[in-house]
Amino acid sequence: GAGVSQSPSNKVTEKGKDVELRCDPISGHTALYWYRQSLGQGLEFLIYFQGNSAPDKSGLPSDRFSAERTGGSVSTLTIQRTQQEDSAVYLCASSLQLTQGSGNTIYFGEGSWLTVV
Amino acid sequence: AQSVTQLGSHVSVSEGALVLLRCNYSSSVPPYLFWYVQYPNQGLQLLLKYTTGATLVKGINGFEAEFKKSETSFHLTKPSAHMSDAAEYFCAVSAGNTPLVFGKGTRLSVIA
């Protein structure tokens, strides 16, 4: 597609429910990232995928968070047993490759706004 | 590991005045530096980036930033603020083969 597409754009869920957030990166981009943006906290790195390599999960805040990327394209971020502190905007991004030094830009989607009540 | 500090969570300037948003970084290797802008209810858009070469980098919408290694800084400037510049600005650093590490952002308000 023309840009990074995320769905849903808004999600309200009850505490304890599981949620899935979807990201469709720019066609041909091999690197895909998930970030979390909380009010006043900037952007927190969660996980990235690069081609067929094992994902870097070092930013995931707890084992309730997981992500997968099928066929090297679409990615799903899953949050199990949601808590109120999970409320945030979840941003997906993609780039041609991970190495920023080569000049490749990371392109962001508009985010999925998650509210846990 | 890399880190970014943005001085000032909120900056207000008058229309037509100089915009200066401060960013200091920490990196154990030569950094790659970025400024992104986020307009209300939108995703992040790249303003400019420094990878190698010229230390004064020009970006979109009249913004520029200068990489100063001695000061570990990458401050963002614009000579004359427009109302349309009101947004959240994020500085970010990468080691080149790592995901971007972002600062906490600076909200810019432009007063008529």
Side-chain angles (χ1 to χ4, degrees), chain B residues 20-80:
Chain B
L20 171 60
L21 305 182
R22 299 178 185 275
C23 172
N24 288 90
Y25 69 90
S26 173
S27 179
S28 57
V29 298
Y32 301 107
L33 296 159
F34 305 78
W35 276 99
Y36 280 82
V37 61
Q38 186 178 35
Y39 298 102
N41 300 318
Q42 294 188 23
L44 276 74
Q45 178 183 5
L46 180 70
L47 270 179
L48 50 79
K49 61 184 178 185
Y50 167 79
T51 54
T52 59
T55 57
L56 181 62
V57 180
K58 295 186 183 297
I60 62 172
N61 301 338
F63 284 93
E64 63 181 36
E66 186 171 10
F67 170 58
K68 292 188 176 180
K69 183 178 179 181
S70 61
E71 298 178 6
T72 61
S73 69
F74 191 58
H75 301 332
L76 181 71
T77 61
K78 182 174 179 178
S80 176

Side-chain angles (χ1 to χ4, degrees), chain A:
Chain A
V4 177
S5 179
Q6 293 187 245
S7 61
S9 55
N10 285 284
K11 175 72 175 179
V12 179
T13 190
E14 293 181 351
K15 178 181 174 181
K17 300 280 190 181
D18 297 352
V19 296
E20 288 188 347
L21 307 176
R22 175 189 168 102
C23 173
D24 196 347
I26 294 172
S27 178
H29 281 191
T30 58
L32 185 146
Y33 317 76
W34 283 98
Y35 285 84
R36 178 168 69 176
Q37 184 176 20
S38 303
L39 187 63
Q41 295 301 312
L43 280 81
E44 173 188 12
F45 164 72
L46 297 177
I47 185 171
Y48 79 75
F49 299 86
Q50 170 60 12
N52 296 320
S53 302
D56 178 349
K57 304 178 181 181
S58 60
L60 294 178
S62 77
D63 59 7
R64 295 186 296 105
F65 287 73
S66 63
E68 63 177 19
R69 188 178 185 189
T70 55
S73 181
V74 173
S75 176
T76 301
L77 176 69
T78 301
I79 308 173
Q80 295 179 309
R81 305 181 301 282
T82 52
Q83 303 295 313
Q84 287 186 331
E85 60 263 30
D86 299 334
S87 297
V89 180
Y90 290 83
L91 291 167
C92 178
S94 70
S95 68
L96 277 173
Q97 61 188 57
L98 178 60
T99 306
Q100 289 301 301
S102 65
N104 293 320
T105 297
I106 291 181
Y107 296 88
F108 283 82
E110 295 193 353
S112 290
W113 294 67
L114 175 65
T115 303
V116 182
V117 297

